[in-house]
Amino acid sequence: MIKHLFTSESVTQGHPDKICDQISDAILDAIFEKDKDAHVACETTVAPGLVHVMGEITTTCYVDIANIVRKTILDIGYDSPKYNFDGHTCNVLISINSQSSDIAMGVNESVEMKKNSKDAKDGIGAGDQGMMFGFACDETPELMPLPISLAHKLTKRLTCVRKNKILNYLRPDGKAQVTVEYEDGTPKRVDTIILSTQHGEDISNEKLREDIMNYVIKEAIDSNLMDDKTKIYINPTGRFVIGGPAGDTGLTGRKIIVDTYGGYSRHGGGAFSGKDPTKVDRSAAYMARYIAKNIVAAKLAKKCEVQIAYAIGVARPVSVMVDTFGTSEYTNEKISNTVQKVFDLRPAAIIENLQLRRPIYQKVASYGHMGREELGVSWEKLDKVEALKEAING
């Protein structure tokens, strides 16, 4: 019997980097409410008393970016000077330009279309070169790795008890880390839980640790996964009063492992938030997850990773790779060929099939973009299971 440990982390919506992701995606959503054909690449950084929004946006509409910034911060929970960061009073700087004409030239008319293609889906080229990964496995009902699934449950529960004032001394910043023990590749137990939460000055360590154990950890983690050897660390430094942007600057796209699979699968390196779906960093990563999840749901493999790679201005991917890690009766090559028969991987087709020109992005900017079945996002659908089965056996 071979044992190993694997660890993943999640952060709350009040973490400085996640504040930035939510602001960038809130701006994207506001623009998509009015102009579904907009091109958006919006970055945000936060520091004590300051939010700076920058990037390239080409749109026919107007949105009040400063108001969106403030509303997002207030909704997260930074609504008082006592947090040393307040959506009512923070300074908001805006540095927005239009999309580069050189990039637009490749996105708006792909290499294939310039060759007089008559297929409308050849019209949009990839917004950049790069490779994107998607992953699925049968460790959880949502077909996500267990460590990141549990870490997200902890941070979501932490936010729930704060916003519902079950623990009214909690503050918005926080993070969780979960280590799972595997036996022969199968998750068996939780080995370690680390949870750190920002809190008010007047709570003792003993009271906080007791409350977090009872109201967060025991509510979020199945007791059958824990035993008397499970190690639990709650605010291990003993104090976490200074948090959010007052404790650390934040930046869009700095939590890409939290956004995806907790490090369990490879990552192409591109962030998601603030990018419209012509940016394949985002849309192709969602498509790769969609493909991998349907492969596992079709029981063609127990574990599946999909890589898709693009060239800027070219609609069709330069490569498609599937790896099932020896968990399938089919070869990786056969599954890869099947994928390319069932799924159209051109950016325009991805955008259309996954309905990505909608204001759906702020809600996935915290607690992960993948596995979010409760949000009804299109890349979590299992509507290609039968098509995959038929294609691979045909």
Side-chain angles (χ1 to χ4, degrees):
M1 186 163 49
I2 300 173
K3 294 184 179 183
H4 76 273
L5 301 175
F6 193 88
T7 302
S8 294
E9 76 157 351
S10 177
V11 299
T12 65
Q13 60 179 186
H15 185 281
D17 295 327
K18 275 290 146 205
I19 297 171
C20 296
D21 288 342
Q22 290 165 91
I23 290 171
S24 293
D25 274 337
I27 293 168
L28 174 61
D29 281 353
I31 292 171
F32 268 180
E33 288 275 9
K34 300 179 178 181
D35 179 11
K36 66 181 181 63
D37 296 316
H39 292 286
V40 180
C42 180
E43 311 284 344
T44 304
T45 185
V46 296
L50 176 65
V51 180
H52 189 182
V53 178
M54 64 207 94
E56 298 79 43
I57 298 176
T58 301
T59 180
T60 59
C61 74
Y62 169 79
V63 297
D64 187 341
I65 290 178
N67 186 58
I68 294 167
V69 169
R70 295 188 187 283
K71 183 178 186 305
T72 303
I73 293 168
L74 294 171
D75 287 348
I76 290 169
Y78 289 106
D79 55 5
S80 170
K82 67 183 177 182
Y83 302 150
N84 298 310
F85 186 71
D86 182 2
H88 293 108
T89 59
C90 63
N91 293 307
V92 180
L93 302 181
I94 301 170
S95 305
I96 298 293
N97 298 307
S98 60
Q99 185 183 53
S100 160
S101 58
D102 291 344
I103 294 174
M105 184 171 58
V107 174
N108 298 340
E109 188 176 14
S110 72
V111 169
E112 292 92 335
M113 188 60 74
K114 289 172 183 175
K115 293 179 180 178
N116 298 316
S117 169
K118 295 181 180 180
D119 189 334
K121 289 189 174 64
D122 280 336
I124 297 178
D128 200 353
Q129 70 178 43
M131 63 285 185
M132 299 81 210
F133 288 93
F135 181 81
C137 62
D138 63 358
E139 293 180 11
T140 61
E142 68 273 23
L143 304 183
M144 287 286 286
L146 184 60
I148 188 66
S149 178
L150 295 179
H152 284 323
K153 286 181 179 180
L154 286 169
T155 52
K156 282 191 279 188
R157 179 63 185 170
L158 189 60
T159 297
C160 175
V161 299
R162 171 178 64 87
K163 288 195 166 185
N164 289 321
K165 302 188 183 304
I166 297 171
L167 301 177
N168 59 13
Y169 57 80
L170 294 183
R171 302 294 181 255
D173 198 358
K175 56 176 58 178
Q177 184 172 291
V178 178
T179 301
V180 173
E181 182 180 283
Y182 287 75
E183 292 181 1
D184 295 331
T186 301
K188 292 297 183 182
R189 56 181 291 274
V190 171
D191 182 81
T192 307
I193 296 171
I194 305 170
L195 195 149
S196 296
T197 179
Q198 186 185 9
H199 58 86
E201 290 265 12
D202 55 350
I203 190 72
S204 69
N205 291 334
E206 292 75 17
K207 175 62 173 171
L208 182 143
R209 287 167 178 164
E210 178 185 353
D211 285 348
I212 294 298
M213 187 68 202
N214 290 330
Y215 292 101
V216 179
I217 294 175
K218 288 183 178 179
E219 292 292 326
I221 306 296
D222 187 339
S223 61
N224 293 321
L225 290 171
M226 296 189 288
D227 55 33
D228 57 2
K229 294 182 180 179
T230 298
K231 299 178 285 294
I232 298 175
Y233 301 99
I234 299 169
N235 279 25
T237 65
R239 179 180 170 87
F240 188 1
V241 173
I242 300 172
D248 191 11
T249 56
L251 180 65
T252 299
R254 207 158 57 178
K255 283 289 176 283
I256 57 178
I257 299 303
V258 172
D259 288 341
T260 52
Y261 309 100
Y264 199 101
S265 170
R266 286 172 283 193
H267 196 292
F272 303 152
S273 290
K275 297 178 180 178
D276 76 79
T278 65
K279 281 73 171 173
V280 286
D281 279 343
R282 176 167 229 161
S283 55
Y286 291 164
M287 190 64 171
R289 162 64 178 171
Y290 179 50
I291 295 167
K293 186 175 183 180
N294 275 269
I295 288 171
V296 173
K299 301 191 182 303
L300 303 184
K302 292 173 65 65
K303 183 186 297 187
C304 179
E305 183 179 76
V306 176
Q307 185 202 55
I308 312 171
Y310 292 87
I312 187 169
V314 180
R316 299 176 189 276
V318 298
S319 70
V320 179
M321 180 277 294
V322 174
D323 189 351
T324 60
F325 307 94
T327 65
S328 175
E329 64 181 275
Y330 303 99
T331 66
N332 290 334
E333 181 182 15
K334 185 172 181 61
I335 297 179
S336 178
N337 290 337
T338 301
V339 163
Q340 293 174 78
K341 293 176 184 176
V342 173
F343 298 91
D344 191 335
L345 301 178
R346 292 171 294 176
I350 293 173
I351 291 168
E352 179 182 301
N353 293 336
L354 296 184
Q355 300 175 287
L356 297 181
R357 291 194 185 276
R358 297 180 293 146
I360 58 173
Y361 297 107
Q362 185 183 357
K363 62 186 180 182
V364 294
S366 51
Y367 313 115
H369 294 243
M370 313 304 177
R372 303 298 299 278
E373 293 181 341
E374 79 279 11
L375 298 178
V377 292
S378 54
W379 53 93
E380 294 297 321
K381 294 186 301 183
L382 296 176
D383 57 351
K384 296 294 184 181
V385 168
E386 295 306 318
L388 282 166
K389 290 179 180 177
E390 292 175 10
I392 202 163
N393 292 319

